[in-house]
Amino acid sequence: MDQKGYRRGSFQSATSDEDMLEIAGASLDFSVADDDPPLDREMGGFSSYNGGGMNGTSTMMDFLEEPLPGVGTYEDFNTIDWVREKSRDRDRHREITNRSKESTWALLHSVSDAFSGWLLMLLIGLLAGSLAGLIDISAHWMTDLKEGVCLAGFWFNHEHCCWKSNTTFTDRDKCPEWKSWSQLILGHGEGAFAYILNYLMYVIWALMFSLLAVLLVKGFAPYACGSGIPEIKTILSGFIIRGYLGKWTLVIKTITLVLAVSSGLSLGKEGPLVHVACCCGNILCHLFTKYRKNEAKRREVLSAAAAAGVSVAFGAPIGGVLFSLEEVSYYFPLKTLWRSFFAALVAAFTLRSINPFGNSRLVLFYVEFHMPWHLLELVPFILLGIFGGLWGAFFIRSNIAWCRRRKTTRLGKYPVLEVLVVTAITAILAFPNEYTRMSTSELISELFNDCGILDSSKLCEYVNDFNSTKGDDLPDRAAGPGVYTAMWQLALALIMKVFITIFTFGMKVPSGLFIPSMAVGAIAGRLLGVAVEQLAFYHHDWAIFSGWCSPGADCITPGLYAMVGAAACLGGVTRMTVSLVVIMFELTGGLEYIVPLMAAAMTSKWVADAIGREGIYDAHIRLNGYPFLEAKEEFSHKTRAMDVMRPRKNDPALTVITQDTMTVEDVETVVSSTTYSGYPVVVSRASQRLVGFVLRRDLIISIENARKKQDGIVSTSIICFTDYCPPLPPSSPSVLKLRSILDLSPFTVTDETPMEIVVDIFRKLGLRQCLVTHNGKLLGIITKKDVLKHIAQMANQDPESILFN
């Protein structure tokens, strides 16, 4: 894959940390049938490397003392070495601590270094909260733009337009300042022609928004499509996808997220907000040297940024921290937990200061319930959990099948046409039904709502035959015609949401899954809640109701059922448990509803896991072939390291470099004839005694710099990886010492080590490769790719489909 700003045979462009900000996928061809920009199978540009053209002499350079620019960095689509990165950070911290005792300036530098992490979290929280507020305000306005415009100021959405109006409370949505398109064009809003005109304008605006979104993604930032969470999980596990968290991705994702949500497609902004926050974190990392130059430290920041993203998405700071810990993070030390909490706090505070919804809340669907739940209600709550699990498993299988079809057929060659067709179908089906016409967040808000005296919604049109009420608590009442109409409309909305979301998630526009999943569950929960409420009203003398639901009492809260259903469906799709319950609890502000939420979340996870073990994000990681080693799954097969290592019995011998007998030309030949990312260094080919491991990239950069800047280095120069090189004749060219780039402590296992231990080592230490020895002699190598292929083979999957599909 051709990378922007990257030339074959040149190593300068890939050495700069600023390349993390370049949009690696800007030249990607959307005509290929891939669901995500394709990833290279091999090492990219260095596969065609040869040693020619690097001659040149300059001043002498001591390679042992001065680190070379680019050495220790990683190529695109490679895995970082967690052990080496953590070791580097410890060395850096130890040096700063020792120097701090020498002078006041060094002490101040030590203090600023310690404080820089907290300052970075503050900046991430401020930026993420500000962008979330901007997205909320813009999406709310553009969603209402499909139905009409405000004459008092076109920048006002429907609700803000009517705030200063003198209309009555019941007619608050019909203020004279707000005009529908038919009123604006025809002068009246009644009649068939006015309805058709409004219908047409709704579809045209939706198509315009979605077309602009997909063209911006295709033209400027292909990585801005989708949810972003599967890729964030992969990046946090140590994989490098340059440009995925870059400045262009941030700008385009922010703009197109507003457009995609406003188009009325069955998607949410919550998942992409995590991607947006992580882009903020990655870009701001470049302000601080210790995060810019260390990939492991940068991933700690990205974990905290993910927490800030969920914090502003749901107005749930604690839930955001738990989401980062439970769902996306691979390495989450205690220090990162504190910093994640701080970043989530600052982000939530910033969003609260912006107040995008004008109700002093962080989300549109904040609710408060007043009535306690009864123990017998756990039965319908568990039924909702079963529904959520079944829906989750059905959605994952259907969506993955559709995405695979998109990747393997001509369908994937026409992303713009696909987005337009799905948008048109969604808009045409959505407009006639008021519950699908409104934005999904508003729908969830209405479904969560507990009916009060002043509510004018159809869902609250009960037969009022009571004489008095206590505060806002209304007794259970018989459903009126409005409620029955709402039930039919919600049933149709449920069918539409269930099927249209399958085809929407994974298109080439930013698309989150939290809100559509919650909408499906909230509709199902509200339908069940009203059914149980009417059952209790008409049959309060039944044994199950007689003890706690007397006539005239407010027993059942349908809004609570909607909330439990939303949690169940979201849990069934994502397999979240603890973070999900906390997010839902923070949304409602009611501690007493934790047990129903826990019961529904656990039931949905058990049911969904019984049908398929993977959540939607893990399924998309496997579909796209990202090298992600799942920490939650146990490896139970009885295989050994010798069964997985390379070379196998009939393969060519392992490519190695000797410590002091190979010339520059020999090493260049080895590098140019192979595509491996590193090479074991041995004492000699005969003994095969292991000395260390050297990375291909470090080797290439060191040789290139030596040819340019060190006198006497030619093709016949001996490369020496030891402190003391063997004596050479006086006429011999200079020796090139490269001990500084050699890893003297590569991780090794014996050939008889069980693979379950090897897999655990790769998971817990984040290794790139592991060398296999027998009686101290080097036998072979196991890479992360080999482990992933072996796990796939043991699970009866195609091992070749695992990597970079």
Side-chain angles (χ1 to χ4, degrees), residues 211-466:
L211 177 65
L212 188 55
V214 71
L215 289 177
L216 284 171
V217 168
K218 181 181 176 180
F220 295 98
Y223 284 152
C225 67
S227 161
I229 292 180
E231 288 77 12
I232 299 291
K233 285 186 73 168
T234 309
I235 289 169
L236 288 179
S237 75
F239 195 58
I240 289 177
I241 309 178
R242 294 199 191 282
Y244 198 83
L245 301 175
K247 56 180 179 294
W248 269 111
T249 307
L250 174 63
V251 171
I252 298 301
K253 186 118 188 180
T254 304
I255 296 168
T256 54
L257 180 55
V258 174
L259 291 166
V261 171
S262 305
S263 69
L265 285 165
S266 183
L267 48 82
K269 61 181 183 298
E270 282 65 24
L273 273 174
V274 176
H275 188 183
V276 167
C278 286
C279 287
C280 297
N282 180 62
I283 292 167
L284 290 170
C285 274
H286 288 76
L287 301 175
F288 302 90
T289 308
K290 77 172 179 180
Y291 294 107
R292 184 175 71 244
K293 293 187 174 180
N294 192 294
E295 294 288 350
K297 294 293 288 179
R298 191 183 306 194
R299 274 151 182 76
E300 292 179 22
V301 172
L302 296 181
S303 290
V310 175
S311 171
V312 292
F314 287 104
I318 302 171
V321 175
L322 291 174
F323 173 83
S324 180
L325 173 61
E326 180 182 3
E327 191 61 29
V328 296
S329 293
Y330 197 82
Y331 173 68
F332 203 83
L334 191 60
K335 181 168 61 176
T336 305
L337 179 73
W338 299 334
R339 288 181 175 169
S340 299
F341 184 75
F342 180 63
L345 166 72
V346 174
F349 174 78
T350 306
L351 186 63
R352 171 66 181 79
S353 303
I354 295 171
N355 195 13
F357 303 110
N359 59 359
S360 301
R361 303 295 185 190
L362 296 178
V363 284
L364 195 59
F365 39 84
Y366 183 92
V367 288
E368 288 180 336
F369 301 128
H370 305 289
M371 293 305 297
W373 58 278
H374 193 269
L375 193 62
L376 289 173
E377 288 185 278
L378 276 179
V379 175
F381 293 153
I382 288 171
L383 286 176
L384 285 172
I386 293 170
F387 171 78
L390 293 172
W391 144 254
F394 165 74
F395 174 80
I396 291 167
R397 289 199 176 185
S398 306
N399 180 252
I400 293 298
W402 178 252
C403 288
R404 186 173 286 115
R405 184 175 178 82
R406 183 190 289 126
K407 289 168 73 73
T408 55
T409 63
R410 291 174 61 84
L411 176 70
K413 294 183 179 180
Y414 308 103
V416 177
L417 182 62
E418 182 193 8
V419 169
L420 289 177
V421 168
V422 173
T423 305
I425 293 170
T426 305
I428 290 166
L429 293 176
F431 187 82
N433 187 338
E434 66 176 284
Y435 291 110
T436 48
R437 191 190 315 161
M438 66 176 68
S439 75
T440 316
S441 294
E442 288 176 357
L443 171 63
I444 294 171
S445 178
E446 186 149 331
L447 293 168
F448 281 9
N449 186 39
D450 187 15
C451 287
I453 301 170
L454 298 174
D455 279 313
S456 57
S457 165
K458 278 186 188 175
L459 284 169
C460 297
E461 283 189 20
Y462 290 90
V463 178
N464 293 323
D465 56 356
F466 54 89

Side-chain angles (χ1 to χ4, degrees), residues 433-435 458-459 461 480-492:
N433 187 338
E434 66 176 284
Y435 291 110
K458 278 186 188 175
L459 284 169
E461 283 189 20
V483 174
Y484 288 115
T485 305
M487 291 301 102
W488 280 110
Q489 288 180 326
L490 284 175
L492 292 172

Side-chain angles (χ1 to χ4, degrees), residues 688-707:
Q688 289 289 307
R689 279 181 51 216
L690 184 65
V691 177
F693 191 85
V694 63
L695 291 178
R696 172 197 188 92
R697 177 179 172 79
D698 294 354
L699 202 56
I700 291 170
I701 292 171
S702 299
I703 292 173
E704 181 179 352
N705 274 272
R707 278 187 180 273

